[in-house]
Every structure is written in structure tokens, then in C-alpha cells.
Amino acid sequence: MPLRGKLPSERELVDLFNVSRITIRHAVRELISQGIVHSQPGKGLYVAEHVGGFELQVLKSFTSTALANGRVPGNRLLEAQVIRAPLEVSRPLFLPSGAEVLVLARLRLLDNVPVVIQTDWLPAAQVPGLADLDWSGGNRSLYAELKDRHHIRPVRGQTTLSARLATADEAEMLGLDLPSAVLTVDQIAFDDRNRPVNMTALVHHPERYPLTLAQADGGELEQY
């Protein structure tokens, strides 16, 4: 994690703000959970660099985006299995009702701090063996695996942005207090034959993983 200045010690913070040590410890834990402060064992507390925003691109993975911003990607695997697709999944993927899909759900981390809940659905027939990979590794990229193992490469996509209140499970995973709003991003990527590659649903912590949109000349939003 890129770091800036070192914070005073716990004793110095107590004297500086004239509060109890318990209050300081609670405040520091909250700052760490929000990714604002980073603890280095044996060295102390440091202020993390401010994240101005991550550019929204359908065809760029979370892993590559994190690395491009000097952050350390990671994840906690929530689900990886082949299921019978419900209609709301099979229809956007141009699959017959009840077709098998691989569902891959992960809690994505930046510098070991939860920032996004990501769920991907892929036509199972096109990605045999993908569910058996070790998806608990921090640097495993779905798009890299699709390219290297199955010669599938997305070339275009579409994105829908929205916002809503977090569910209790989402708030717990992302470290949010209820009620809290989350940013939702729904994406579909297509290959060069206009076939759906995957459908993605993302639930963003609005402060830890803010998004930015690039603009082309003339003020028109770029399409990804």
C-alpha cells in the first residue's frame, strides 16, 4: 500500500486529543477498517494515500486495475460452482432456460481491505474446469484465465450503474454500518462474434472503491 506520514504513538494521541486510550484505539481500528490508516507491525501507524477513484472499464479486470494503481489485490472466495441458471441469468447470456452456468462469487480486497463483492456468471459449456481452479489467490484474474485456458477474449461490453441500500450480509462483508448505500455495477462482456462472455454484478463500498468515468474530446463519455 502506498503510504504517507507516520501517525503519533497511541500515548501521544491520548495526550494530543485529551481522550482515553480506549477512545483512541476505537478510532484507530475504524480508520484501519476504512483503509485510511495502515498498521505496520513493529513500525507503527501510517496514513494511506488517498484514492481518487478507479476508472470504470468493462474489459479490465479488478486485478489489473488494482496493480495499475499501485495497490495489492486480493479476494475471499464466496462461491465457485456450476448451477442451473435462473431466467434472469440465462436470458442475458443468450442461453436456454435452465442451462448450466458457472457462478463465481468473490469478496475483492485492496491491501487486505474489503472493497467490492463481485459475482460472475459464465456459460459452463464454454469454460470447463474453471470452477476447479484455486480462486482464493489474490492475483488470479478471470479474464486472464479465459484468455490463456479457453482462448476467450472479451472485446466490448455494456455497463449499468445504480445505487441502493446494502443488505445486512453485504454490510457485514464490506464493513458498513446499517443503513448504508452501496454502488452497484452490472456488466456484460461480449467476444468478437458478439457472444456473451460473462455477466458480472458488483457491489461497491462507495468510499473505499470510488469509480471514475473517462471523457473523450467533445465531452462524450467513452464506451467500454
Side-chain angles (χ1 to χ4, degrees), residues 176-193:
L176 292 166
D177 295 325
L178 290 174
S180 290
V182 288
L183 175 67
T184 62
V185 182
D186 297 299
Q187 300 177 323
I188 300 180
F190 299 86
D191 65 14
D192 57 0
R193 297 173 62 183

Side-chain angles (χ1 to χ4, degrees), residues 49 62 89 95 101 107 129 134-135 139 206:
E49 287 187 0
F62 175 90
V89 172
L95 296 173
V101 295
L107 177 62
D134 180 11
W135 290 102
N139 291 326

Side-chain angles (χ1 to χ4, degrees), residues 17 19 25-26 28 42 50 118 138 152 198 219:
F17 293 101
V19 295
R25 288 178 178 173
H26 177 78
V28 168
H50 174 68
Q118 176 176 347
I152 297 174
N198 69 306

Side-chain angles (χ1 to χ4, degrees), residues 24-43:
I24 290 296
R25 288 178 178 173
H26 177 78
V28 168
R29 283 197 300 267
E30 181 64 23
L31 291 172
I32 291 174
S33 71
Q34 294 179 18
I36 298 172
V37 169
H38 181 65
S39 176
Q40 289 194 338
K43 295 184 178 180

Side-chain angles (χ1 to χ4, degrees), residues 9-188:
S9 68
E10 183 179 280
R11 179 177 298 177
E12 290 172 329
L13 289 172
V14 168
D15 294 338
L16 180 62
F17 293 101
N18 194 28
V19 295
S20 69
R21 181 163 294 187
I22 293 177
T23 299
I24 290 296
R25 288 178 178 173
H26 177 78
V28 168
R29 283 197 300 267
E30 181 64 23
L31 291 172
I32 291 174
S33 71
Q34 294 179 18
I36 298 172
V37 169
H38 181 65
S39 176
Q40 289 194 338
K43 295 184 178 180
L45 300 170
Y46 292 82
V47 178
E49 287 187 0
H50 174 68
V51 178
F54 295 85
E55 188 173 348
L56 176 62
Q57 298 189 39
V58 178
L59 306 182
K60 193 170 184 180
S61 70
F62 175 90
T63 300
S64 59
T65 299
L67 294 174
N69 283 272
R71 310 295 292 276
V72 179
N75 62 245
R76 299 172 191 163
L77 181 63
L78 303 176
E79 181 182 5
Q81 63 175 323
V82 175
I83 64 170
R84 295 286 180 181
L87 188 60
E88 61 268 23
V89 172
S90 62
R91 180 176 291 172
L93 291 177
F94 300 170
L95 296 173
S97 178
E100 289 190 334
V101 295
L102 165 64
V103 55
L104 177 63
R106 292 170 287 173
L107 177 62
R108 311 310 297 266
L109 314 175
L110 283 179
D111 304 316
N112 208 35
V113 176
V115 294
V116 181
I117 302 169
Q118 176 176 347
T119 305
D120 287 279
W121 294 268
L122 305 95
Q126 297 180 19
V127 291
L130 204 65
D132 300 325
L133 300 179
D134 180 11
W135 290 102
S136 60
N139 291 326
R140 187 177 292 279
S141 166
L142 174 60
Y143 279 178
E145 297 296 341
L146 290 177
K147 178 183 177 182
D148 296 341
R149 294 176 180 272
H150 301 287
H151 309 292
I152 297 174
R153 183 174 179 270
V155 298
R156 73 174 187 89
Q158 62 186 42
T159 300
T160 302
L161 299 176
S162 188
R164 58 171 172 78
L165 291 177
T167 67
D169 287 342
E170 291 167 347
E172 182 178 0
M173 284 189 282
L174 292 174
L176 292 166
D177 295 325
L178 290 174
S180 290
V182 288
L183 175 67
T184 62
V185 182
D186 297 299
Q187 300 177 323
I188 300 180

